[in-house]
Structures are given as structure tokens and as C-alpha cells.
Amino acid sequence: MWTDRWGVTYNDNRTALIHIDNECFCCEEYTIPEGVRSIEDNFMLIDNKRLRKINLPSTLRYMVDNTFIECPLEELVLPEGLTEIPGCMCESCLELKRAVLPSTLRVIGNAAFCHCKILSNIVLPDGLEIIHADAFACCVSLNNIKLPSSVKYIGDDAFYGLLRT
């Protein structure tokens, strides 16, 4: 294992982020190194008023549920090659204004962006097939969502509470 100066621990071959030390992690911008394929812990830190920007590697293919729950992220750019957004990935990220989804995305998990109240623009990629329950529930600023024809399933309340125009 290898731990960086911010208290983030990676496995021996540095392909997986396996732990984030709550007491050490204190930066506003963090870069996960290239080569990391999975995030197996979440950035939900006690009193997390810090993490505003995360730079994800192009090699990322898997994230655990709740990856960025309640983080003050302002923007999130997910890498090409990622096919699934985990459940509650950005739930209650109250500062999230913009999320960029990869063209390779096929599944958006339960409550992935639930309660992201100032998220105002998101483009659902062609090829997206599944939008699980509550995925964008209570995203009251979200507007102009165009569902791609590839969508085969939309879970209950996936878009509950969106602003009507």
C-alpha cells in the first residue's frame, strides 16, 4: 500500500484508491493519479467543507456508492470509459453546478445526483440505458433534459421535483 501526503491510500500497484483518512484529508482540489481504475472508499468526510474540485483519471472504471456524497464539489467531469454512475454518488452536493457525463455511460444509479439543488445543466449521453430511482430527484434548478432514445428504463421518481417551465 501507498499513502500520499493527504492521507489517501492506494493499493500496491496503485490501481485502486482504497482509503481516505478523515483526519489527514484537507485539500480543496485533489487529483487521483492516472492508472487508478477504482475508487473503493468515499470522500464523505466529517465536516467536509473542503473538496471543491476532484480530477479523475482517464483510467477510472468503478466507484463505490456514496463516492462524493455531501461534498462541496462545484463541478464534476467523469472520464470516458466509465459505464456506470454508482448510487448516491453526488447526493446532496449542494454546490454542484455542472456535471459532465461520458459518452460511454450506460447506467445512472439510485439517487446519484439527488438533492443537487443548483445543478442546472446535464447532458444525458446517447447510449444511456438505465436511469434508476431518484437519480435526479429534487434537482430543482435542472432544466432542458433531453432523454436519449437509448433509454430503456427510468426508475420511480428519477426526476421528482424538477422545475417545470
Side-chain angles (χ1 to χ4, degrees):
M1 292 189 301
W2 173 75
T3 303
D4 68 14
R5 67 185 179 132
W6 300 109
V8 179
T9 301
Y10 297 88
N11 65 351
D12 286 335
N13 59 4
R14 299 185 188 181
T15 59
L17 183 159
I18 57 175
H19 179 69
I20 301 157
D21 185 325
N22 205 8
E23 294 182 22
C24 293
F25 192 86
C26 63
C27 58
E28 287 190 9
E29 181 174 349
Y30 185 75
T31 299
I32 297 173
E34 283 297 321
V36 171
R37 295 184 54 80
S38 66
I39 298 174
E40 299 174 12
D41 197 4
N42 64 55
F43 284 84
M44 187 180 125
L45 307 171
I46 296 171
D47 195 31
N48 184 0
K49 304 291 185 234
R50 299 171 289 253
L51 186 63
R52 299 203 174 283
K53 184 172 183 183
I54 185 93
N55 300 305
L56 300 172
S58 65
T59 51
L60 185 65
R61 297 298 177 265
Y62 170 81
M63 294 183 286
V64 69
D65 286 351
N66 305 315
T67 313
F68 304 112
I69 191 170
E70 297 180 3
C71 285
L73 291 173
E74 296 171 356
E75 179 178 272
L76 183 64
V77 178
L78 297 170
E80 289 296 322
L82 191 67
T83 59
E84 185 169 347
I85 291 176
C88 304
M89 179 186 71
C90 287
E91 181 178 356
S92 297
C93 288
L94 301 179
E95 304 300 318
L96 188 65
K97 298 173 191 163
R98 182 172 176 254
V100 178
L101 306 181
S103 65
T104 52
L105 188 65
R106 300 297 174 254
V107 178
I108 299 175
N110 290 330
F113 294 96
C114 185
H115 294 285
C116 292
K117 295 182 180 200
I118 65 171
L119 180 63
S120 62
N121 188 353
I122 197 155
V123 175
L124 301 177
D126 290 333
L128 180 65
E129 298 174 359
I130 298 170
I131 303 170
H132 282 288
D134 300 313
F136 297 97
C138 300
C139 293
V140 295
S141 297
L142 198 57
N143 54 45
N144 293 330
I145 294 177
K146 180 182 176 207
L147 291 175
S149 60
S150 57
V151 173
K152 298 174 184 170
Y153 173 80
I154 299 175
D156 291 342
D157 296 327
F159 298 99
Y160 175 81
L162 266 61
L163 202 74
R164 307 283 188 255
T165 56

